[in-house]
Amino acid sequence: MKKIKLFSLLIILTLFISCTTKSDLFIQNIMSNDVLFKVTYNIDINELSELPDYGSNHFEVDYKKGILNPKEFSKINEVNIIKKQRLNNNTLSVLIPKNSTVRIEETFNMSYIHYIDYIEYDNKKISINDLINLSKRQKQSNYIYTIKSENNKI
């Protein structure tokens, strides 16, 4: 009986370890103007497309008008694409439209935290760890960071 319990426990642990969870990083811009948002990586941007979690569409982000949670975001079929502009080997920028929700990163198991060094907007740098801590966590490891004002206070 103990062997069966031990074997069952090992099977369950193996299943949990091998599971991958889709995890997106969203930015909500509740301001009345567009915001230039820069993402600086700790590796060369060209290497991102070679990583299994990123894929070839990494230079495009989709956005939806309105302040939406991830579930609402995924229900809207209207696709709006923003091209990220490459500033150098490690930095991309994207102009986030006013009153919108943008999916900046779409990976598995939050792997973006290993590759993003920091983000910058309104002359303010925020490390990826601080950004995650300042964000709201939703189901399935989705995080939502809200840009409220220039000093991020209403």
Side-chain angles (χ1 to χ4, degrees):
M1 187 64 151
K2 281 187 175 184
K3 288 182 179 180
I4 292 174
K5 285 183 180 180
L6 181 61
F7 181 73
S8 297
L9 179 64
L10 287 173
I11 295 293
I12 290 171
L13 286 174
T14 303
L15 287 174
F16 280 123
I17 291 171
S18 64
C19 289
T20 58
T21 305
K22 185 175 177 283
S23 54
D24 299 338
L25 177 60
F26 293 93
I27 307 298
Q28 295 174 331
N29 180 7
I30 67 172
M31 294 177 51
S32 59
N33 57 309
D34 299 346
V35 174
L36 183 64
F37 197 82
K38 298 177 188 175
V39 181
T40 301
Y41 297 87
N42 53 25
I43 65 171
D44 191 301
I45 294 168
N46 290 329
E47 295 176 32
L48 288 175
S49 60
E50 298 170 13
L51 297 171
D53 285 342
Y54 275 89
S56 60
N57 66 345
H58 183 67
F59 288 97
E60 294 180 347
V61 294
D62 50 338
Y63 81 96
K64 311 288 169 105
K65 294 178 182 175
I67 305 305
L68 308 168
N69 65 40
K71 187 175 183 179
E72 295 167 329
F73 190 91
S74 64
K75 284 184 178 181
I76 297 175
N77 292 330
E78 177 188 335
V79 178
N80 299 305
I81 302 290
I82 304 173
K83 294 272 187 192
K84 291 182 183 176
Q85 181 180 3
R86 186 177 179 151
L87 301 179
N88 58 40
N89 288 344
N90 296 57
T91 304
L92 296 172
S93 71
V94 61
L95 190 62
I96 299 178
K98 64 183 178 184
N99 192 34
S100 68
T101 303
V102 175
R103 181 173 29 213
I104 293 290
E105 294 292 348
E106 183 177 14
T107 65
F108 291 101
N109 298 330
M110 290 184 61
S111 65
Y112 56 80
I113 65 170
H114 302 293
Y115 302 111
I116 296 176
D117 190 10
Y118 62 90
I119 62 96
E120 184 177 358
Y121 73 95
D122 289 334
N123 297 318
K124 178 170 63 170
K125 288 184 183 180
I126 302 172
S127 73
I128 188 62
N129 291 326
D130 289 342
L131 182 81
I132 295 299
N133 289 335
L134 294 169
S135 299
K136 291 184 286 185
R137 182 176 182 197
Q138 298 287 312
K139 289 182 181 178
Q140 298 178 346
S141 299
N142 291 320
Y143 285 87
I144 304 169
Y145 180 77
T146 304
I147 299 172
K148 299 174 187 168
S149 68
E150 283 149 26
N151 57 11
N152 218 28
K153 294 179 183 173
I154 293 182

